[in-house]
Amino acid sequence: MRRFGSAVAVFGGLLLAVAGVAPALAHEHPSGITDLVTPAVVRIEATAHVDITLLDHIGELVHVERSYEVPIGSGTGTVINPDGGMVTLTRVVKNDRDVRIYAANKIFSEHFKVKIPADFERHKLKDDLLNHHLQECYPPKQPTATCIIDVTTEIKVFPNINPADTEGFRAEIVRPGDKPDSPAVLKPVGRADGSAGLPTAPLAAEVPAKDNSPVAVAGFTGRPAANLPETVDIAHLRAGGAGEGGRQFKDPENKVNEPEKLGALVDKGLLGGPVIEDKKGEVVGLLLGGGKDARMIGIREVTKALAEADVAPARGPIDAAFEQALTRFHTHYYGDAVPAFQRVLDLYPGHTVAAAHLKTSQAKRGTAEDEGTKRAAASTDAPGGAPLWPFLVGGGLLVLVVLAAAILLWRRRLPDSEPDPGPDPEPEPSPPPTLNPPPVQARSVFGEQVDSTIVVGRSFPALPKISSTSPGQPVLVARDPGSSTAPDPRPTETTAQKYCTGCGMRLGPAHSFCAYCGQPAKT
């Protein structure tokens, strides 16, 4: 039975392992982790402000003044440092079309009521006089020019914040690319966003080399608004392709025509948007193309353009706080994520992703989905999850009891020792020296007698003077402590004090042995 139970357990474990791995192997689509990048995605709109004055001197001299806003380009950009440094494609902010030609066509059509397309092409009129004035209006400027034209380029950036910034902030080109699909570097002009700066996107070190590498693209199809958030879609990179030619996209399962799908997004406004690697959520390139084709220019060209513009990618305090909050959020510790996202919003109140995740975290905090709540409940319910302090106190008491028992047992096993004599008594006066003291018998520490006593080092009072009435029969006589004269040599009666001849201890009249050393008393 034991072998059968073990086999069942192993088989069940293998089934669970396969069930857990199989979905991972079957799911080949990107996870869509773009939270690190989307806060730094911005909408970019470039326009040319043209002031034109037409000198109409066909009849009376008339100065006709007009101002036109001529679109240059629009698309998506990515903030790469807290100071507001951005990257996008050059054709988003600059093109080869001459807006002065557009303004000349426009003002002639409006003033002289003639049909001239409002485009960037030079046209001719059937009326020779009007045609002559029109040709003199086109650039370049000549001494006989009939138009005075002044052009200023304005680049506006609309950040991904909530509530939306309808005015945006101005930016200027730090370094344009050599070609329309080359990276362009921008920086803000006259904008103060506080000491924390702007949210930034992390840049990858290299492009994934593996074929069908999963990625995501992000950007805006218009100015950010409550009903127009950023657009995010998934794709896969094909192997090969580098430089400004770009790297192509392809769905490995051929279910979706990814070049056509992404080309449509480019036309809607994702031109120049970031291409985001799936695992780390870093920018690996910029989206380009249009129509039925879309490609990616790699991160190597982007970092090269930044280096030539002397703009260094960097991460700021907003990003550090946001990454900590995202870690708690994506691991489902919603209770811990709430204060973390609030910290992000303190640094950057318009942070749309932090605000959305904060709302979700508040709704799930303390619920069954909150991993923090699950662990707290598990630690409370589990037998080993009780508080530690009762066990520590009990352990301490047990140690004290064991120590006390050991001390008592040790004291009981000690041999009988000499009773404590208490404080030392006052020294007695030394008796006078004896004439012939008896020899002290040497005793072994471990004597053969049952009542043998261990002799220890101790000072004893001097032996009393020995007196006798006849030669050969000494009698111990006590000396009067207060007397300064020699004792009476005459024989004494039964009141004479006796002392032990072995140790000098004072003996009573009825003592047969010394109470201290066990020496038999001399009679």
Side-chain angles (χ1 to χ4, degrees):
M1 288 297 293
R2 290 183 179 178
R3 292 182 177 179
F4 178 77
S6 301
V8 171
V10 172
F11 182 73
L14 291 175
L15 285 179
L16 291 176
V18 171
V21 175
L25 294 176
H27 182 71
E28 298 179 354
H29 294 285
S31 62
I33 298 176
T34 58
D35 288 342
L36 290 176
V37 177
T38 51
V41 175
V42 295
R43 167 78 173 179
I44 299 177
E45 296 179 358
T47 58
H49 183 78
V50 184
D51 294 322
I52 183 171
T53 302
L54 172 61
L55 305 178
D56 180 7
H57 50 79
I58 294 178
E60 293 183 359
L61 181 61
V62 178
H63 291 186
V64 181
E65 297 180 353
R66 295 285 191 276
S67 294
Y68 302 108
E69 297 289 335
V70 184
I72 295 177
S74 62
T76 299
T78 307
V79 180
I80 51 85
N81 66 30
D83 295 333
M86 293 163 279
V87 290
T88 187
L89 294 182
T90 300
R91 61 186 172 115
V92 172
V93 293
K94 181 182 179 182
N95 57 44
D96 296 332
R97 297 178 299 183
D98 196 335
V99 296
R100 296 174 298 177
I101 296 176
Y102 172 89
N105 292 335
K106 189 79 171 173
I107 197 171
F108 257 79
S109 174
E110 293 175 353
H111 179 66
F112 292 107
K113 309 299 179 182
V114 292
K115 292 183 179 180
I116 302 177
D119 56 16
F120 300 89
E121 302 293 333
R122 297 174 183 265
H123 298 280
K124 292 183 178 181
L125 298 176
K126 294 180 180 180
D127 188 309
D128 292 338
L129 183 59
L130 289 179
N131 183 62
H132 173 73
H133 282 280
L134 176 60
Q135 301 307 317
E136 293 292 330
C137 185
Y138 285 142
K141 185 179 179 180
Q142 301 177 2
T144 59
T146 57
C147 293
I148 302 173
I149 305 173
D150 184 24
V151 180
T152 57
T153 300
E154 184 178 70
I155 300 174
K156 278 197 171 183
V157 179
F158 299 89
N160 187 8
I161 59 176
N162 187 24
D165 184 358
T166 58
E167 298 296 329
F169 61 90
R170 294 179 59 245
E172 63 182 7
I173 302 174
V174 179
R175 176 198 175 277
D178 299 332
K179 299 179 180 179
D181 288 333
S182 299
V185 182
L186 313 179
K187 70 176 183 180
V189 177
R191 180 177 175 93
D193 284 287
S195 58
L198 295 173
T200 69
L203 302 184
E206 59 184 2
V207 177
K210 183 180 177 182
D211 193 22
N212 300 324
S213 297
V215 293
V217 296
F220 286 100
T221 58
R223 291 186 180 182
N227 59 348
L228 187 60
E230 72 276 1
T231 298
V232 178
D233 209 334
I234 60 175
H236 299 80
L237 286 174
R238 297 186 63 179
E244 295 181 358
R247 191 167 170 178
Q248 295 179 338
F249 297 95
K250 183 180 180 181
D251 182 6
E253 298 179 357
N254 293 321
K255 294 181 179 180
V256 179
N257 187 341
E258 289 189 354
E260 184 176 347
K261 177 187 72 171
L262 298 180
L265 292 176
V266 169
D267 295 338
K268 291 180 180 179
L270 269 66
L271 178 65
V275 179
I276 307 165
E277 190 265 343
D278 183 59
K279 302 301 180 183
K280 297 181 180 179
E282 298 174 335
V283 178
V284 295
L286 303 181
L287 186 63
L288 57 89
K292 295 184 178 181
D293 182 36
R295 288 159 288 133
M296 181 197 77
I297 185 172
I299 193 64
R300 184 176 301 176
E301 286 72 29
V302 175
T303 53
K304 179 182 177 182
L306 290 172
E308 293 176 354
D310 198 21
V311 175
R315 303 280 280 163
I318 299 174
D319 310 306
F322 185 54
E323 287 185 13
Q324 293 179 1
L326 281 181
T327 300
R328 292 166 173 81
F329 181 80
H330 287 298
T331 54
H332 302 162
Y333 282 85
Y334 298 112
D336 296 335
V338 169
F341 283 125
Q342 288 174 340
R343 169 60 178 164
V344 177
L345 293 174
D346 290 340
L347 293 172
Y348 193 71
H351 204 294
T352 57
V353 182
H357 288 343
L358 174 60
K359 186 176 180 180
T360 303
S361 300
Q362 289 173 334
K364 295 185 177 181
R365 178 175 53 180
T367 64
E369 298 182 59
D370 192 345
E371 288 293 333
T373 303
K374 289 182 181 179
R375 294 211 170 188
S379 62
T380 303
D381 297 338
L388 291 178
W389 67 267
F391 297 97
L392 295 177
V393 173
L397 293 176
L398 181 60
V399 170
L400 292 177
V401 170
V402 172
L403 288 178
I407 292 173
L408 290 176
L409 183 61
W410 175 70
R411 290 178 63 87
R412 287 183 180 182
R413 291 184 177 181
L414 286 178
D416 294 338
S417 59
E418 175 190 353
D420 188 6
D424 294 339
E426 296 182 1
E428 297 182 1
S430 301
T434 60
L435 298 176
N436 295 313
V440 179
Q441 299 180 1
R443 295 177 58 85
S444 172
V445 175
F446 301 99
E448 297 178 356
Q449 299 180 7
V450 176
D451 58 347
S452 61
T453 306
I454 298 176
V455 179
V456 295
R458 179 170 176 175
S459 61
F460 301 100
L463 296 175
K465 182 178 180 182
I466 301 176
S467 176
S468 63
T469 57
S470 62
Q473 296 185 7
V475 178
L476 298 178
V477 180
R479 180 180 176 183
D480 186 4
S483 174
S484 60
T485 60
D488 189 356
R490 290 176 297 178
T492 60
E493 301 297 332
T494 58
T495 59
Q497 176 66 51
K498 294 188 297 181
Y499 293 90
C500 177
T501 59
C503 63
M505 176 65 72
R506 183 181 300 178
L507 302 178
H511 284 176
S512 300
F513 296 92
C514 177
Y516 189 81
C517 66
Q519 178 74 22
K522 298 293 185 178
T523 57

